[in-house]
Amino acid sequence: MTRVLLVLLLLVAPVATAGPASAVVGGHQATRPYPFIASLQANGAHFCAGSLIRPDWVVTAKHCVAGRAPAAIGLRVGSTDRTTGGTLTQAVRSVVHPTADLALLRLRAPVTHPPVAVAPPTPAPGPRPPLFRLLGWGLTCEGCTPPPVVLHEVDAARATNPACGAGEECLGGNGRGACRGDDGGPALIESGGTWLLAGVASRAVTTACREGTWAYVGTAAHRTWIANVVGG
């Protein structure tokens, strides 16, 4: 009798639902709006991410815009869903950094979404943030397709890797970090309850997404160049 009751309980017991889908690598769906996030698109298809740093300027990776005319780059700004919401706009100008994997896109018209400020340089030997918030619409694991429609986030630490040179940060590893499609996306630090842009996703430094270690171009190291282009 006891065995019969146990079987009946198992049959009617509710199945536990999973938590947020893992993504970026080892993260989950975005838990907040991130009004400065931008999806770079060609004919409506996402190919890179970016960050609004002025009402009419977005920063991304140089390799994301290489070979593309500005008029061919569409952007959806301010939405965590790359297919709807936010503001749809278009680039009218592209400015690439002479050496770093960094580019600035001027928008057709200013948007109303709040931009993110570029983080100031950290005075040595000042405090170094233990974790960075990484955002993107990239693959959630090796071979996982299609990429997610909703933005994902993951908190990742610095990694020691000689592949990251001057003005770069190696971020992620141990199953937490970026993957293909996260190119151009932000690495954020939090200061006083406000997000600051600390880096731009440049390239993988590990061979598999399950590692998640990527080189991010440090935006603090290029503040002067950014300010000279966008003004202020």
Side-chain angles (χ1 to χ4, degrees):
M1 183 66 177
T2 301
R3 183 175 299 177
V4 172
L5 287 174
L6 178 60
V7 171
L8 288 172
L9 287 171
L10 289 172
L11 287 174
V12 300
V15 178
T17 57
S22 64
V24 187
V25 172
H28 48 76
Q29 289 187 358
T31 57
R32 55 189 69 191
Y34 302 111
F36 49 82
I37 196 67
S39 167
L40 277 59
Q41 303 183 354
N43 298 318
H46 169 85
F47 64 87
C48 274
S51 302
L52 186 75
I53 57 170
R54 292 288 190 278
D56 56 346
W57 285 96
V58 165
V59 64
T60 187
K62 178 165 63 176
H63 74 266
C64 286
V65 303
R68 297 179 188 269
I73 301 173
L75 300 98
R76 186 181 294 277
V77 183
S79 176
T80 56
D81 187 319
R82 58 182 172 82
T83 65
T84 188
T87 301
L88 271 178
T89 186
Q90 187 179 21
V92 294
R93 184 185 174 201
S94 174
V95 183
V96 299
H97 193 280
T99 55
D101 188 13
L102 209 60
L104 292 162
L105 295 173
R106 186 163 195 174
L107 306 183
R108 179 174 53 201
V111 296
T112 58
H113 307 286
V116 63
V118 176
T122 302
R128 295 162 67 85
L131 291 176
F132 293 76
R133 174 69 53 87
L134 310 183
L135 305 178
W137 286 275
L139 299 182
T140 61
C141 67
E142 197 70 35
C144 290
T145 56
V149 170
V150 177
L151 184 74
H152 284 74
E153 63 184 30
V154 66
D155 291 337
R158 280 186 173 91
T160 301
N161 194 305
C164 293
E168 293 183 325
E169 293 273 14
C170 266
L171 302 178
N174 299 318
R176 299 179 67 82
C179 193
R180 287 183 295 281
D182 291 323
D183 310 57
L188 307 170
I189 57 174
E190 193 171 11
S191 176
T194 300
W195 291 115
L196 300 175
L197 180 65
V200 172
S202 176
R203 66 190 187 280
V205 298
T206 52
T207 57
C209 287
R210 64 179 175 271
E211 271 302 308
T213 305
W214 270 49
Y216 278 72
V217 177
T219 47
H222 302 288
R223 276 172 63 94
T224 300
W225 177 79
I226 293 171
N228 287 341
V229 175
V230 306

